Amino acid sequence: MTKKSKNRNFGILFNSFIELAKDCKFRLIIISTLCLILILTGLIVAIKTSSNYNINDNFGVVDISSNGVSNSTFFLRLFSIILIFGILLGCSFSKYLSPIALIFLLYRSYLLGLNLTLMVIVYGISGVVISIIIVLPCQLLILASLILFYSILSKTNCDIKGFGGCKYPKQRARVIVIAGIVLLALCLCESLLLVIFNAKIILVI
C-alpha cells in the first residue's frame, strides 16, 4: 500500500467518524452538558468541604516518585478505563441500558471535578500546575473520548426495536479498535507526564 493510498484511507476513516458524530450530535450535546454540570458539582462540593481536608489526609493520594508506584498507577488507571469502556460498550447494545452508561459517565465527571479541586486545595501551587498542565487536559480528553465512542456505538448498534443488532459490523469493530488505541495512548501520555513531574495526585478512577 502506497503512502498516498494510506492517506486516502485515513481521510475516508476520519470523514466517516465525523459523519457518525454528526448523526448523534444531540446525544453528544446532552451527555456532555450533564457531565460538565457534574464536574462543576464536584468542584463546588470540594470547595464547600475544603475545611475538612489538610496535607496529612490520605484520600486517594499517590506519590509518583518510583518506578514501582508509577507502573502500578499506570496499570490501575488503564484497568479502570478499560473497565468503564467495557461497561459502556455493553450498554451501547440496548437503549434500556443507557441510564447505566450515563451513571458511570456522570460519576467519573463528578470525581474529576472533586479530585482536581482537592489537589489544588491540598497542594497549592504545585497542585494547580499538575492539575492544569497534566491531569485536567488528559482526563477531559479521556472523558470526551468515552462520551464520543459510546454515543457512536449506541448509534451504530441501534435498530428499529431499540436492541442490539448492528447493521455495520465492520464499522463497529473499527470504532472499538480505535477507541482502545486512543484511550491507551491518553493513559500512557498522562502517566509519562506524571512520572516526569514526580507528581502527587488524587486518582480519578
Side-chain angles (χ1 to χ4, degrees):
M1 184 180 291
T2 63
K3 184 176 180 180
K4 188 175 181 180
S5 299
K6 290 181 179 179
N7 292 336
R8 186 184 302 113
N9 290 336
F10 177 80
I12 294 173
L13 181 62
F14 180 78
N15 290 333
S16 67
F17 262 83
I18 295 297
E19 291 302 317
L20 286 170
K22 287 180 179 179
D23 290 339
C24 55
K25 60 183 177 182
F26 293 111
R27 185 195 301 266
L28 284 171
I29 292 173
I30 292 172
I31 296 178
S32 299
T33 302
L34 291 175
C35 286
L36 178 59
I37 292 173
L38 264 291
I39 290 175
L40 295 176
T41 301
L43 185 150
I44 293 171
V45 170
I47 292 175
K48 287 191 173 182
T49 58
S50 60
S51 59
N52 299 328
Y53 305 109
N54 59 70
I55 195 71
N56 296 318
D57 288 334
N58 184 21
F59 37 86
V61 175
V62 175
D63 189 356
I64 311 294
S65 58
S66 67
N67 291 332
V69 174
S70 60
N71 290 337
S72 62
T73 300
F74 167 73
F75 287 111
L76 177 61
R77 295 163 82 86
L78 181 61
F79 174 77
S80 171
I81 293 172
I82 292 174
L83 179 62
I84 292 176
F85 181 70
I87 293 172
L88 296 178
L89 176 61
C91 292
S92 69
F93 283 90
S94 171
K95 68 179 182 180
Y96 301 112
L97 295 177
S98 57
I100 298 176
L102 187 59
I103 288 172
F104 275 91
L105 289 171
L106 294 181
Y107 182 63
R108 188 176 181 87
S109 301
Y110 172 78
L111 286 182
L112 175 58
L114 180 73
N115 292 354
L116 282 175
T117 308
L118 290 180
M119 286 175 59
V120 174
I121 292 172
V122 174
Y123 295 111
I125 298 299
S126 63
V128 172
V129 172
I130 296 300
S131 297
I132 293 178
I133 295 179
I134 303 175
V135 181
L136 180 60
C138 289
Q139 287 297 322
L140 281 180
L141 285 173
I142 289 173
L143 181 61
S145 299
L146 289 171
I147 294 172
L148 176 62
F149 289 122
Y150 168 70
S151 299
I152 290 177
L153 286 170
S154 296
K155 179 67 177 178
T156 305
N157 289 330
C158 183
D159 64 10
I160 194 170
K161 293 181 179 179
F163 290 97
C166 176
K167 299 178 181 179
Y168 310 102
K170 290 183 179 180
Q171 186 179 66
R172 181 180 63 186
R174 192 181 298 122
V175 172
I176 294 172
V177 170
I178 293 176
I181 294 173
V182 170
L183 293 173
L184 175 61
L186 289 172
C187 185
L188 181 60
C189 178
E190 182 182 28
S191 297
L192 288 174
L193 289 172
L194 290 173
V195 170
I196 291 172
F197 282 85
N198 287 323
K200 284 188 177 181
I201 60 168
I202 301 174
L203 293 180
V204 180
I205 296 182

